[in-house]
Amino acid sequence: MTAYPHLLEPLDLGHVVLPNRVIMGSMHTGLEDRLSDLPKLAAYFAERARGGVGLMVTGGYAPNRTGWLTPFGSTLTSHRQARKHRLLTDAVHEAGGRIALQILHAGRYSYHPFSVSASALKAPINPFKPRALTDRGVLKQIKAYVDCAALAREAGYDGVEIMGSEGYFINQFLSERTNKRTDRWGGSPENRRRLAVEIVRQTRERVGEDFLIIYRLSMADLVEGGQTWDDVVALGKEIEAAGASIINTGIGWHEARVPTIVTSVPRAAFTSVTAAFKPYVKIPVVTSNRINLPQVAEEVLARGDADLVSMARPFLADPEWVLKATTDRADEINVCIACNQACLDHVFAKQKASCMVNPRAARETELQLLPTRRTKSIAVVGAGPAGLAAAVTAAERGHRVELFEADAEIGGQFGIARRIPGKEEFAETIRYYRRRLELTGVKVHLGRRATVEDLAGFDEIVLATGVVPRVPAIPGIDHPTVLSYAEVVREGKPVGERVAVIGAGGVGVDVSEFLTTPVSPDLEAWKREWGVGDPTKLAGALAVPQPEPSPRKVYLLQRKTGKIGAGLGKTTGWVHRAALKNKQVEQLRGVNYERIDDDGLHVTFGPKHEKPQVLAVDTVVVCAGQEPVRDLADALRATNRPVHLIGGADVAAELDAKRAIEQATRLALTL
Ligand code: NAP
Ligand code: SF4
C-alpha cells in the first residue's frame, strides 16, 4: 500500500500508458543549444527516465530562427538535427522513459533584433522591439511549428509540448495587452485565439493520432491586460477540439511583477487555478508551480485539482524523485528549494544550468559517482553545506568518513537561512543530508570542536570550518544595541522597533525581511501581499496588492552607491527588492558609518562626510559579510598534515552555498 495512490496511478492516454502522474516539466539547461552537447543531454534525461518519471519534456526548441530565445539558441528545423536527436530519444526509451520536445517560439521575448510578434510592442524585459507579422508571416510561423512537430516525431520523441504560456509568442497573440491587430489574428477573442488553435489543429493533422500534443495554456497571465477567464476557458475548449492530448498549466508572464516559482511562493500556490479550469475539458490537465514533494503532489491530485503534476526543477535536484516516492523513501529525496541559483540564474546569465543541491545535474557525464578503489579514512570538519556534501559524497563512494561539528546541529549557514520567512525550504536540504549521513554510515560528532589531535590518523582531512560574521571597525561597535545577524536570526535575541541593518548583501536583505515579516504568510495572505486575485473574476488574476504592514521601522544601509541587493540572483533579486518595498524598508546608499552610541547610528553622506544623519534606532544589526575560520587549517599545516580547505573557510568573500556544495562534491569525487 503506497502513501501516494493518486500520484502513482497509471494514466492511459490511448496509444501510450504513463506509469504515474508525474511529468518532468520543461527546463532549459543550455545543453540544448549545441548538437555537440546532445550526449550530455541524453545522459541527463536517461538518468531521470531510470528514476521513473512518467513523461519528460525537453527545454524549449525554437521552430525557426525568428523564434530563437537567444542568438544561435536551440532549434529543431532540419532532418539532420532530427537524426542527431535520436541519440537522446533512444537513450530515454532504453531507460524505460518517454519524452516530448517543447516547441518554444519566444516572440517579443526573443533576445535578438529580428524578433516578431502580433504587434510591434517592446517587452519591458527585453531591449529589442519585435516586428509585427503580416498575415503571410503569421501563416509561416504556424507552418514552422507544424514542421518542428513533424521533425520531433522523426527524431523519435513521444510528443511535443506547444508552449502557449509565460508571455511567449502564442501568449502574445492571445492577450489584448500585446495583440493590437485588427485582422483575422486580432481584435475579437476568437481572432486572438486563432493562432494557438491553428497550430494545434494543423500539428495534429500532420503528426497523426499516436503522438502526444501537450498544450501549455496560460491560465493566469498575472499582467495588466491579461486574458479573462472566459478567454481562458474558451481557449481550452478549442485547444481540446483541435486535437491536444493534454493541457498543461502556465502561470504568469516573465514580465509579471508577481513571483510564481521562487522559494517564498507557498507550495502548490497555483493549483486552485488548474482546479477551476479542469471541469471545462475532458482531456487530462496538468498542474504546476512550487510542487516539490510527493506528499504535496498527492494532496493536489487527491483533491482533484488536476490529473497530473508537472515539476521541472525538482528533477534537477533529484533524478530519483519518483523512484524514492514509489519505494516509500520520500525522506531520501533531495528537494528543490526553489532558490534558482544554479538553474534559472545560470540560464539568464547564459551559463549551463545545474542545481545548487545537486551539482551533478546536467553534468552526469562529467561528475560520475564511482566507487573508490581504495577505501580511506576521511575526517570532515564542519557540517555546513560544504562539509555535508563532502562527507556524504565520499562515504557514498565507499570511504570511512567521520564528520566533526562544533554546533549541536548540522546545517551551518543553512541553519540561519531556514529561519528566514519564505526560506523554510532550506530545512529540507538539512533533512536530506541528515538522512544521507545515516544511510551512508558517516560517523557524526556533534557539539565537538575538532582539534589537531582528533584528526591524527586520518588519511585525508577536509576542512569546511566555515565563517564568522565580520565585525566592522565602527566606533561604538561594542555598544549593547549592536547585534550580529547570527545572534538575531539563530539565537533569537530581542530586537527593538526601530532597527538599522548594516550591510545590504544577501544576508542584510534576508535579515530585513526577517525583521519586517514576523511569520511567513499563509497562501491567502501571500496572495493578498502580491495582488493575486481570483482568476475566474479578474482579468489576468491581478488584484491590488495589500501588503501586511511591518511591525518595525527598518533602515537598510550600504556604503556603495549602487542598487541595494545588486549581487542577488537575477531571477530572485527583484522579488526581494519588491518585498522590502512592500514593508517600507528605508534603503540608504552611499553611507559612511561614523559611530554608534545611545542616540543611535550616526552616519554621513558624501565623499567629505558632509551630510550627517542620526538614525535613532534601538538596535543595530551587523550584516557586513564574513571572515573565514581557518585556525585548524593553520595549525594542521604547521604539523605538515595535508588538508583540503573548502566552502566559506576557503573563500569567505563569496560565501555561496552553490560554490561550496559543488567544490565539496568535486573534491569528494577525487579522494
Ligand atoms: P555580502 O554579499 O558580501 O554583503 C556584505 C555587505 O556588507 C555588503 O553589502 C557590504 O556593502 C557590507 N560590508 C562589507 N564590509 C563592510 C565593513 N567593513 N563595514 C560595513 N559594511 C561592510 O555578504 P552577505 O550579505 O553576508 O552574503 C554572503 C553571501 O551569501 C552572498 O555572496 C550571497 O551569495 C549569499 N546569500 C545570498 C542570499 C540571497 O540570495 N537572498 C541570502 C543570503 C546570503 P558596502 O561595502 O557597500 O557597505
Ligand atoms: Fe531547485 Fe535551486 Fe536546484 Fe534550481 S538550483 S533546481 S531552484 S534547488
Side-chain angles (χ1 to χ4, degrees):
M1 189 54 197
T2 169
Y4 318 110
H6 297 86
L7 186 68
L8 301 179
E9 189 188 346
L11 179 66
D12 191 346
L13 292 169
H15 69 282
V16 59
V17 179
L18 302 184
N20 51 59
R21 303 305 180 99
V22 187
I23 293 184
M24 174 178 163
S26 177
M27 168 84 211
H28 203 76
T29 63
L31 295 175
E32 298 80 3
D33 297 344
R34 303 278 165 272
L35 282 177
S36 55
D37 282 331
L38 267 172
K40 292 181 190 167
L41 205 54
Y44 162 77
F45 279 120
E47 186 160 321
R48 280 140 186 93
R50 279 192 294 279
V53 58
L55 172 67
M56 302 183 289
V57 183
T58 65
Y61 284 83
N64 57 19
R65 281 192 283 179
T66 48
W68 268 342
L69 206 49
T70 52
F72 308 101
S74 48
T75 55
L76 180 59
T77 51
S78 72
H79 297 292
R80 178 176 163 269
Q81 286 171 322
R83 268 196 308 281
K84 297 262 184 196
H85 275 249
R86 275 276 171 194
L87 178 79
L88 189 161
T89 54
D90 285 348
V92 167
H93 294 145
E94 275 160 28
R98 287 143 295 274
I99 188 160
L101 178 121
Q102 189 188 66
I103 308 179
L104 168 68
H105 186 310
R108 71 178 197 153
Y109 284 168
S110 296
Y111 203 80
H112 60 75
F114 312 107
S115 59
V116 296
S117 186
S119 303
L121 293 171
K122 200 181 86 60
I125 55 171
N126 191 346
F128 299 104
K129 187 173 169 180
R131 178 172 58 80
L133 285 164
T134 60
D135 183 76
R136 222 170 122 231
V138 177
L139 295 176
K140 263 174 78 177
Q141 306 304 313
I142 296 174
K143 183 171 180 309
Y145 274 90
V146 178
D147 290 346
C148 184
L151 287 169
R153 183 172 185 137
E154 189 179 315
Y157 285 97
D158 301 278
V160 288
E161 176 172 79
I162 294 171
M163 180 48 156
S165 64
E166 259 71 6
Y168 288 116
F169 182 66
I170 295 176
N171 216 172
Q172 292 157 25
F173 272 75
L174 290 167
S175 160
E176 272 182 323
R177 174 185 176 85
T178 39
N179 185 343
K180 308 289 181 196
R181 302 176 75 97
T182 51
D183 62 359
R184 60 178 168 150
W185 308 104
S188 68
E190 295 75 25
N191 282 355
R192 282 187 268 117
R193 289 197 289 274
R194 194 181 306 280
L195 172 85
V197 176
E198 275 305 301
I199 289 171
V200 175
R201 193 184 64 73
Q202 294 186 31
T203 300
R204 176 56 77 206
E205 238 174 58
R206 179 82 165 271
V207 296
E209 290 305 314
D210 56 344
F211 191 70
L212 293 174
I213 298 179
I214 308 165
Y215 180 85
R216 183 114 178 247
L217 192 146
S218 184
M219 294 189 196
D221 290 336
L222 295 176
V223 286
E224 302 285 346
Q227 297 168 91
T228 65
W229 191 245
D230 286 348
D231 291 344
V232 169
V233 169
L235 176 67
K237 289 179 177 172
E238 287 182 30
I239 290 292
E240 177 175 35
S245 334
I246 295 175
I247 290 181
N248 193 0
T249 301
I251 301 285
W253 290 31
H254 285 315
E255 66 205 64
R257 301 320 289 166
V258 178
T260 55
I261 56 166
V262 300
T263 191
S264 55
V265 176
R267 288 176 178 167
F270 293 100
T271 65
S272 60
V273 182
T274 318
F277 171 83
K278 192 172 171 291
Y280 295 100
V281 292
K282 292 186 196 68
I283 53 175
V285 174
V286 189
T287 195
S288 69
N289 288 50
R290 288 289 287 118
I291 299 168
N292 61 352
L293 278 166
Q295 195 53 46
V296 178
E298 175 65 21
E299 281 162 22
V300 166
L301 295 176
R303 252 196 331 258
D305 287 2
D307 301 292
L308 300 117
V309 292
S310 169
M311 294 173 290
R313 298 171 299 169
F315 283 100
L316 267 76
D318 198 331
E320 294 190 329
W321 194 101
V322 172
L323 190 64
K324 288 175 180 172
T326 313
T327 50
D328 204 16
R329 294 185 292 134
D331 62 343
E332 292 177 32
I333 291 177
N334 193 2
V335 170
C336 165
I337 57 175
C339 66
N340 287 356
Q341 273 176 257
C343 54
L344 290 170
D345 282 345
H346 276 212
V347 174
F348 279 91
K350 302 195 176 40
Q351 294 168 1
K352 301 230 163 50
S354 184
C355 172
M356 180 170 88
V357 298
N358 173 25
R360 287 191 63 248
R363 298 179 182 129
E364 287 74 15
T365 53
E366 181 195 350
L367 300 180
Q368 295 183 19
L369 197 73
L370 301 173
T372 178
R373 292 217 189 100
R374 183 169 87 79
T375 302
K376 294 181 188 172
S377 62
I378 299 177
V380 179
V381 185
L388 290 167
V392 298
T393 309
E396 203 151 278
R397 294 188 55 227
H399 292 302
R400 277 191 310 278
V401 181
E402 292 192 36
L403 176 62
F404 297 84
E405 168 55 52
D407 245 339
E409 55 183 37
I410 63 167
Q413 297 294 309
F414 274 23
I416 294 182
R418 74 174 175 84
R419 291 177 163 90
I420 306 293
K423 282 197 157 181
E424 292 81 1
E425 294 285 8
F426 281 73
E428 291 292 344
T429 304
I430 300 177
R431 186 266 311 142
Y432 162 74
Y433 277 121
R434 188 177 299 120
R435 183 75 183 117
R436 239 178 120 196
L437 288 171
E438 284 170 16
L439 290 168
T440 54
V442 173
K443 196 166 170 190
V444 183
H445 306 276
L446 288 179
R448 173 101 166 261
R449 191 172 292 281
T451 61
V452 174
E453 293 72 45
D454 288 329
L455 304 177
F458 284 95
D459 298 323
E460 304 274 1
I461 300 168
V462 179
L463 293 185
T465 40
V467 293
V468 285
R470 176 180 294 131
V471 181
I474 302 171
I477 194 73
D478 52 359
H479 192 270
T481 53
V482 181
L483 297 172
S484 75
Y485 66 84
E487 287 174 310
V488 171
V489 180
R490 195 199 284 270
E491 297 171 30
K493 289 211 170 154
V495 175
E497 283 181 10
R498 296 171 61 82
V499 189
V501 176
I502 291 185
V507 172
V509 169
D510 274 359
V511 165
S512 300
E513 289 185 37
F514 178 86
L515 294 171
T516 52
T517 311
V519 282
S520 272
D522 63 15
L523 180 55
E524 289 314 311
W526 178 85
K527 285 184 181 172
R528 279 197 301 279
E529 183 104 13
W530 290 95
V532 179
D534 181 347
T536 65
K537 298 199 175 97
L538 297 165
L542 269 196
V544 178
Q546 294 174 291
E548 281 291 313
S550 162
R552 292 190 175 90
K553 171 72 195 167
V554 173
Y555 300 90
L556 177 58
L557 296 85
Q558 70 175 19
R559 296 171 302 182
K560 287 187 285 288
T561 51
K563 188 165 69 174
I564 291 273
L568 298 177
K570 174 99 176 152
T571 61
T572 53
W574 69 270
V575 185
H576 290 295
R577 278 188 290 274
L580 296 180
K581 206 168 151 199
N582 281 346
K583 299 296 180 187
Q584 299 187 353
V585 170
E586 204 165 313
Q587 304 177 14
L588 302 176
R589 303 178 283 177
V591 167
N592 309 306
Y593 302 109
E594 302 297 344
R595 65 180 187 282
I596 301 159
D597 60 21
D598 292 348
D599 295 331
L601 174 62
H602 298 250
V603 297
T604 56
F605 296 87
K608 293 187 183 142
H609 300 226
E610 57 269 34
K611 291 187 208 140
Q613 188 178 343
V614 184
L615 303 176
V617 293
D618 318 305
T619 311
V620 176
V621 185
V622 179
C623 307
Q626 293 82 17
E627 302 287 354
V629 177
R630 292 194 190 139
D631 313 357
L632 202 51
D634 297 339
L636 285 166
R637 280 186 183 133
T639 62
N640 284 330
R641 302 289 313 279
V643 293
H644 307 274
L645 203 57
I646 58 171
D650 177 28
V651 185
E654 285 174 39
L655 175 68
D656 173 350
K658 181 185 73 175
R659 190 185 61 78
I661 295 174
E662 184 183 339
Q663 183 188 28
T665 306
R666 285 182 184 275
L667 170 70
L669 291 178
T670 63
L671 291 176

